[in-house]
Short mmCIF file of all heavy atoms in Angstrom, two decimals:
data_model
loop_
_atom_site.label_atom_id
_atom_site.label_comp_id
_atom_site.label_asym_id
_atom_site.label_seq_id
_atom_site.Cartn_x
_atom_site.Cartn_y
_atom_site.Cartn_z
N LEU L 1 22.94 -3.53 3.68
CA LEU L 1 23.63 -2.54 4.38
C LEU L 1 22.89 -1.25 4.33
O LEU L 1 22.80 -0.52 5.26
CB LEU L 1 24.95 -2.26 3.51
CG LEU L 1 25.97 -1.28 4.05
CD1 LEU L 1 26.32 -1.52 5.51
CD2 LEU L 1 27.15 -1.13 3.21
N ALA L 2 22.12 -0.86 3.15
CA ALA L 2 21.40 0.35 3.04
C ALA L 2 20.21 0.29 4.04
O ALA L 2 19.86 1.35 4.66
CB ALA L 2 20.73 0.42 1.63
N GLU L 3 19.59 -0.89 4.29
CA GLU L 3 18.48 -0.98 5.25
C GLU L 3 18.98 -0.83 6.66
O GLU L 3 18.39 -0.21 7.48
CB GLU L 3 17.80 -2.27 5.07
CG GLU L 3 17.10 -2.49 3.92
CD GLU L 3 16.16 -3.77 3.72
OE1 GLU L 3 16.72 -4.83 4.29
OE2 GLU L 3 15.06 -3.65 3.27
N GLN L 4 20.16 -1.22 7.05
CA GLN L 4 20.64 -1.12 8.33
C GLN L 4 21.12 0.37 8.64
O GLN L 4 21.04 0.69 9.86
CB GLN L 4 21.95 -1.94 8.57
CG GLN L 4 21.62 -3.51 8.32
CD GLN L 4 22.99 -4.26 8.41
OE1 GLN L 4 24.00 -3.85 8.93
NE2 GLN L 4 22.90 -5.53 7.84
N THR L 5 21.46 1.16 7.70
CA THR L 5 21.90 2.41 7.89
C THR L 5 21.02 3.59 7.53
O THR L 5 21.31 4.71 7.64
CB THR L 5 23.28 2.65 7.04
OG1 THR L 5 22.98 2.49 5.69
CG2 THR L 5 24.35 1.63 7.48
N GLY L 6 19.80 3.17 7.07
CA GLY L 6 18.82 4.20 6.66
C GLY L 6 18.94 4.75 5.28
O GLY L 6 18.19 5.60 4.83
N LEU L 7 19.99 4.39 4.49
CA LEU L 7 20.19 4.81 3.19
C LEU L 7 19.17 4.19 2.11
O LEU L 7 19.10 4.78 1.09
CB LEU L 7 21.67 4.39 2.69
CG LEU L 7 22.17 4.91 1.45
CD1 LEU L 7 22.17 6.52 1.39
CD2 LEU L 7 23.53 4.43 1.13
N ILE L 8 18.46 3.20 2.63
CA ILE L 8 17.49 2.57 1.71
C ILE L 8 16.33 3.61 1.22
O ILE L 8 15.97 3.41 0.04
CB ILE L 8 16.73 1.37 2.44
CG1 ILE L 8 16.11 0.56 1.50
CG2 ILE L 8 15.96 1.91 3.64
CD1 ILE L 8 16.81 -0.11 0.42
N ALA L 9 15.98 4.55 2.01
CA ALA L 9 15.09 5.71 1.55
C ALA L 9 15.55 6.38 0.41
O ALA L 9 14.95 6.53 -0.79
CB ALA L 9 14.70 6.54 2.68
N ASP L 10 16.92 6.81 0.36
CA ASP L 10 17.41 7.60 -0.70
C ASP L 10 17.57 6.68 -2.00
O ASP L 10 17.39 7.18 -3.16
CB ASP L 10 18.72 8.18 -0.32
CG ASP L 10 18.70 9.26 0.75
OD1 ASP L 10 17.62 9.88 0.78
OD2 ASP L 10 19.68 9.57 1.44
N ILE L 11 17.96 5.43 -1.80
CA ILE L 11 18.09 4.51 -2.85
C ILE L 11 16.83 4.19 -3.53
O ILE L 11 16.74 4.24 -4.76
CB ILE L 11 18.81 3.20 -2.40
CG1 ILE L 11 20.27 3.43 -2.05
CG2 ILE L 11 18.63 2.11 -3.47
CD1 ILE L 11 21.08 2.21 -1.52
N THR L 12 15.72 4.04 -2.75
CA THR L 12 14.46 3.74 -3.28
C THR L 12 14.02 4.94 -3.98
O THR L 12 13.24 4.78 -5.10
CB THR L 12 13.39 3.43 -2.14
OG1 THR L 12 14.07 2.31 -1.32
CG2 THR L 12 12.10 2.97 -2.68
N ARG L 13 14.22 6.34 -3.56
CA ARG L 13 13.82 7.34 -4.39
C ARG L 13 14.47 7.30 -5.66
O ARG L 13 13.88 7.68 -6.68
CB ARG L 13 14.17 8.68 -3.60
CG ARG L 13 13.39 8.90 -2.36
CD ARG L 13 13.57 10.22 -1.78
NE ARG L 13 12.84 10.53 -0.62
CZ ARG L 13 13.31 10.26 0.66
NH1 ARG L 13 14.49 9.81 0.82
NH2 ARG L 13 12.51 10.44 1.80
N TRP L 14 15.71 6.93 -5.77
CA TRP L 14 16.47 6.87 -7.06
C TRP L 14 15.79 5.85 -7.91
O TRP L 14 15.64 6.10 -9.14
CB TRP L 14 18.03 6.58 -6.77
CG TRP L 14 18.82 6.57 -8.03
CD1 TRP L 14 19.51 7.59 -8.60
CD2 TRP L 14 18.94 5.41 -8.86
NE1 TRP L 14 20.14 7.24 -9.64
CE2 TRP L 14 19.84 6.03 -9.97
CE3 TRP L 14 18.45 4.11 -8.99
CZ2 TRP L 14 20.22 5.08 -11.11
CZ3 TRP L 14 18.85 3.39 -9.97
CH2 TRP L 14 19.71 3.83 -11.01
N VAL L 15 15.55 4.64 -7.32
CA VAL L 15 15.00 3.62 -8.20
C VAL L 15 13.67 4.06 -8.75
O VAL L 15 13.31 3.82 -9.93
CB VAL L 15 14.93 2.31 -7.33
CG1 VAL L 15 13.96 1.27 -8.03
CG2 VAL L 15 16.25 1.80 -6.91
N VAL L 16 12.72 4.62 -7.93
CA VAL L 16 11.41 4.95 -8.44
C VAL L 16 11.67 5.98 -9.62
O VAL L 16 10.87 5.81 -10.59
CB VAL L 16 10.62 5.72 -7.21
CG1 VAL L 16 9.34 6.26 -7.82
CG2 VAL L 16 10.37 4.62 -6.16
N ARG L 17 12.43 7.02 -9.41
CA ARG L 17 12.55 7.99 -10.42
C ARG L 17 13.15 7.37 -11.81
O ARG L 17 12.69 7.75 -12.95
CB ARG L 17 13.40 9.15 -10.09
CG ARG L 17 12.62 10.10 -9.05
CD ARG L 17 13.28 11.46 -8.92
NE ARG L 17 12.55 12.42 -8.20
CZ ARG L 17 11.49 13.19 -8.79
NH1 ARG L 17 11.23 13.00 -10.06
NH2 ARG L 17 10.81 14.01 -8.10
N ARG L 18 14.15 6.58 -11.64
CA ARG L 18 14.76 6.02 -12.65
C ARG L 18 13.85 5.08 -13.53
O ARG L 18 13.72 4.95 -14.73
CB ARG L 18 16.03 5.20 -12.38
CG ARG L 18 16.62 4.34 -13.50
CD ARG L 18 17.10 5.23 -14.76
NE ARG L 18 18.02 6.29 -14.53
CZ ARG L 18 19.29 6.19 -14.31
NH1 ARG L 18 19.85 4.96 -14.56
NH2 ARG L 18 20.09 7.22 -14.02
N ALA L 19 13.02 4.19 -12.78
CA ALA L 19 12.13 3.29 -13.32
C ALA L 19 11.04 4.05 -14.06
O ALA L 19 10.48 3.70 -15.14
CB ALA L 19 11.44 2.35 -12.17
N LEU L 20 10.52 5.17 -13.49
CA LEU L 20 9.51 5.87 -14.15
C LEU L 20 10.04 6.57 -15.48
O LEU L 20 9.22 6.60 -16.46
CB LEU L 20 8.91 7.02 -13.17
CG LEU L 20 8.03 6.60 -12.07
CD1 LEU L 20 7.87 7.62 -11.00
CD2 LEU L 20 6.81 6.07 -12.75
N ARG L 21 11.26 7.11 -15.44
CA ARG L 21 11.82 7.64 -16.63
C ARG L 21 11.99 6.47 -17.76
O ARG L 21 11.63 6.78 -18.91
CB ARG L 21 13.20 8.28 -16.38
CG ARG L 21 13.01 9.48 -15.64
CD ARG L 21 14.27 10.45 -15.76
NE ARG L 21 15.50 9.65 -15.25
CZ ARG L 21 16.00 9.91 -13.95
NH1 ARG L 21 15.20 10.56 -13.22
NH2 ARG L 21 17.06 9.28 -13.43
N ASP L 22 12.47 5.31 -17.34
CA ASP L 22 12.59 4.23 -18.30
C ASP L 22 11.23 3.69 -18.79
O ASP L 22 11.20 3.46 -19.98
CB ASP L 22 13.21 3.02 -17.51
CG ASP L 22 14.80 3.16 -17.26
OD1 ASP L 22 15.25 4.29 -17.76
OD2 ASP L 22 15.37 2.43 -16.65
N GLN L 23 10.26 3.70 -17.97
CA GLN L 23 8.89 3.38 -18.41
C GLN L 23 8.31 4.37 -19.42
O GLN L 23 7.75 3.97 -20.32
CB GLN L 23 7.95 3.19 -17.26
CG GLN L 23 6.76 2.48 -17.60
CD GLN L 23 5.81 2.29 -16.35
OE1 GLN L 23 5.65 3.10 -15.58
NE2 GLN L 23 5.08 1.13 -16.34
N THR L 24 8.66 5.61 -19.19
CA THR L 24 8.20 6.57 -20.05
C THR L 24 8.82 6.45 -21.48
O THR L 24 8.10 6.51 -22.52
CB THR L 24 8.56 8.06 -19.56
OG1 THR L 24 7.86 8.31 -18.35
CG2 THR L 24 8.23 9.19 -20.60
N TRP L 25 10.12 6.03 -21.44
CA TRP L 25 10.75 5.72 -22.63
C TRP L 25 10.08 4.57 -23.44
O TRP L 25 9.89 4.64 -24.66
CB TRP L 25 12.25 5.53 -22.47
CG TRP L 25 13.04 5.24 -23.70
CD1 TRP L 25 13.61 6.31 -24.53
CD2 TRP L 25 13.43 4.01 -24.17
NE1 TRP L 25 14.39 5.68 -25.50
CE2 TRP L 25 14.13 4.41 -25.41
CE3 TRP L 25 13.24 2.64 -23.79
CZ2 TRP L 25 14.71 3.27 -26.14
CZ3 TRP L 25 13.73 1.76 -24.68
CH2 TRP L 25 14.57 2.03 -25.86
N LEU L 26 9.74 3.58 -22.73
CA LEU L 26 9.13 2.33 -23.29
C LEU L 26 7.81 2.70 -23.83
O LEU L 26 7.49 2.21 -24.97
CB LEU L 26 9.03 1.21 -22.20
CG LEU L 26 10.29 0.48 -21.80
CD1 LEU L 26 9.97 -0.39 -20.52
CD2 LEU L 26 10.84 -0.20 -22.86
N VAL L 27 6.96 3.41 -23.21
CA VAL L 27 5.59 3.85 -23.67
C VAL L 27 5.73 4.70 -24.91
O VAL L 27 5.03 4.44 -25.86
CB VAL L 27 4.88 4.69 -22.54
CG1 VAL L 27 3.62 5.37 -23.13
CG2 VAL L 27 4.61 3.82 -21.41
N GLU L 28 6.73 5.54 -24.99
CA GLU L 28 6.96 6.34 -26.16
C GLU L 28 7.38 5.50 -27.39
O GLU L 28 7.09 5.84 -28.54
CB GLU L 28 7.99 7.45 -25.94
CG GLU L 28 7.43 8.43 -25.03
CD GLU L 28 8.56 9.54 -24.65
OE1 GLU L 28 9.79 9.33 -24.91
OE2 GLU L 28 8.24 10.64 -24.02
N ALA L 29 8.02 4.36 -27.00
CA ALA L 29 8.45 3.45 -28.06
C ALA L 29 7.28 2.49 -28.49
O ALA L 29 7.55 1.56 -29.29
CB ALA L 29 9.65 2.67 -27.69
N GLY L 30 6.18 2.57 -27.84
CA GLY L 30 4.97 1.72 -28.10
C GLY L 30 5.01 0.58 -27.30
O GLY L 30 4.23 -0.54 -27.71
N ASN L 31 5.71 0.41 -26.18
CA ASN L 31 5.61 -0.74 -25.41
C ASN L 31 5.13 -0.45 -23.97
O ASN L 31 5.87 -0.01 -23.14
CB ASN L 31 7.14 -1.39 -25.24
CG ASN L 31 7.67 -1.82 -26.73
OD1 ASN L 31 6.98 -2.48 -27.42
ND2 ASN L 31 8.86 -1.36 -26.89
N SER L 32 3.97 -0.89 -23.65
CA SER L 32 3.33 -0.49 -22.53
C SER L 32 3.51 -1.79 -21.55
O SER L 32 3.08 -2.90 -21.96
CB SER L 32 1.85 -0.16 -22.67
OG SER L 32 1.68 1.08 -23.21
N VAL L 33 3.91 -1.59 -20.34
CA VAL L 33 4.19 -2.85 -19.44
C VAL L 33 4.16 -2.21 -18.06
O VAL L 33 4.62 -1.10 -17.87
CB VAL L 33 5.40 -3.51 -19.85
CG1 VAL L 33 6.69 -2.55 -19.59
CG2 VAL L 33 5.62 -4.78 -19.09
N THR L 34 3.61 -2.89 -17.17
CA THR L 34 3.65 -2.54 -15.61
C THR L 34 5.09 -2.84 -15.18
O THR L 34 5.64 -3.97 -15.27
CB THR L 34 2.54 -3.33 -14.94
OG1 THR L 34 1.27 -3.02 -15.45
CG2 THR L 34 2.65 -2.87 -13.47
N VAL L 35 5.58 -1.97 -14.52
CA VAL L 35 7.00 -2.05 -13.80
C VAL L 35 6.76 -2.13 -12.35
O VAL L 35 6.19 -1.28 -11.67
CB VAL L 35 7.89 -0.86 -14.16
CG1 VAL L 35 9.20 -0.98 -13.44
CG2 VAL L 35 8.05 -0.85 -15.60
N TYR L 36 7.25 -3.37 -11.80
CA TYR L 36 7.16 -3.62 -10.29
C TYR L 36 8.53 -3.20 -9.76
O TYR L 36 9.59 -3.56 -10.23
CB TYR L 36 6.88 -4.99 -10.02
CG TYR L 36 5.32 -5.32 -10.24
CD1 TYR L 36 4.85 -5.65 -11.43
CD2 TYR L 36 4.56 -5.13 -9.03
CE1 TYR L 36 3.42 -5.98 -11.49
CE2 TYR L 36 3.19 -5.51 -9.09
CZ TYR L 36 2.66 -5.82 -10.38
OH TYR L 36 1.32 -6.08 -10.58
N LEU L 37 8.57 -2.57 -8.63
CA LEU L 37 9.76 -2.19 -7.83
C LEU L 37 9.68 -2.80 -6.47
O LEU L 37 8.63 -2.98 -5.87
CB LEU L 37 9.86 -0.70 -7.60
CG LEU L 37 9.66 0.09 -8.97
CD1 LEU L 37 9.62 1.61 -8.52
CD2 LEU L 37 10.70 -0.16 -9.86
N ASN L 38 10.87 -3.16 -5.87
CA ASN L 38 10.84 -3.72 -4.54
C ASN L 38 10.84 -2.59 -3.49
O ASN L 38 11.61 -1.68 -3.59
CB ASN L 38 12.16 -4.59 -4.44
CG ASN L 38 12.19 -5.90 -5.21
OD1 ASN L 38 11.48 -6.81 -4.77
ND2 ASN L 38 12.79 -5.92 -6.35
N LEU L 39 9.91 -2.83 -2.52
CA LEU L 39 9.80 -1.77 -1.53
C LEU L 39 10.01 -2.43 -0.17
O LEU L 39 9.49 -3.39 0.15
CB LEU L 39 8.33 -1.20 -1.38
CG LEU L 39 7.99 -0.11 -0.50
CD1 LEU L 39 8.86 1.22 -0.75
CD2 LEU L 39 6.58 0.27 -0.45
N SER L 40 11.07 -1.81 0.52
CA SER L 40 11.57 -2.29 1.77
C SER L 40 10.51 -2.18 2.92
O SER L 40 9.84 -1.19 3.01
CB SER L 40 12.81 -1.55 2.32
OG SER L 40 13.11 -1.88 3.60
N GLY L 41 10.53 -3.25 3.79
CA GLY L 41 9.46 -3.05 4.81
C GLY L 41 9.73 -1.91 5.76
O GLY L 41 8.92 -1.48 6.48
N ARG L 42 11.06 -1.54 5.78
CA ARG L 42 11.45 -0.34 6.63
C ARG L 42 10.78 0.90 6.16
O ARG L 42 10.65 1.90 6.93
CB ARG L 42 12.94 -0.34 6.66
CG ARG L 42 13.65 -1.53 7.38
CD ARG L 42 15.07 -1.32 7.34
NE ARG L 42 15.77 -2.41 7.95
CZ ARG L 42 16.24 -2.57 9.14
NH1 ARG L 42 16.02 -1.59 9.99
NH2 ARG L 42 16.79 -3.67 9.58
N LEU L 43 10.38 0.96 4.88
CA LEU L 43 9.71 2.19 4.41
C LEU L 43 8.20 2.01 4.35
O LEU L 43 7.54 3.01 4.21
CB LEU L 43 10.19 2.45 3.01
CG LEU L 43 11.76 2.69 2.88
CD1 LEU L 43 12.17 2.81 1.40
CD2 LEU L 43 12.21 3.83 3.70
N LEU L 44 7.64 0.87 4.43
CA LEU L 44 6.19 0.65 4.25
C LEU L 44 5.38 1.35 5.30
O LEU L 44 4.28 1.81 4.95
CB LEU L 44 5.96 -0.85 4.22
CG LEU L 44 4.55 -1.24 3.77
CD1 LEU L 44 4.28 -0.70 2.42
CD2 LEU L 44 4.37 -2.81 3.73
N ALA L 45 5.95 1.46 6.45
CA ALA L 45 5.15 2.02 7.60
C ALA L 45 5.28 3.57 7.59
O ALA L 45 4.57 4.31 8.44
CB ALA L 45 5.52 1.54 8.88
#
């Protein structure tokens, strides 16, 4: 639904920021790991 209506851009922005904050918390706890996020093809171009 988000992809059909254009809301996917705002949702992806939220996901990126939340994931980066969560990853920062993991790093500070001594756990380094690469975090992969799904990126819609509608945003890739």
Side-chain angles (χ1 to χ4, degrees):
L1 180 61
E3 288 187 323
Q4 294 172 26
T5 58
L7 189 58
I8 191 64
D10 291 336
I11 289 179
T12 304
R13 290 188 182 94
W14 183 93
V15 169
V16 169
R17 287 196 168 277
R18 173 57 60 85
L20 286 169
R21 289 199 298 267
D22 287 352
Q23 190 178 42
T24 299
W25 184 83
L26 288 172
V27 171
E28 292 173 350
N31 298 315
S32 296
V33 66
T34 301
V35 176
Y36 281 87
L37 313 175
N38 290 283
L39 182 61
S40 169
R42 296 177 181 267
L43 301 175
L44 189 56

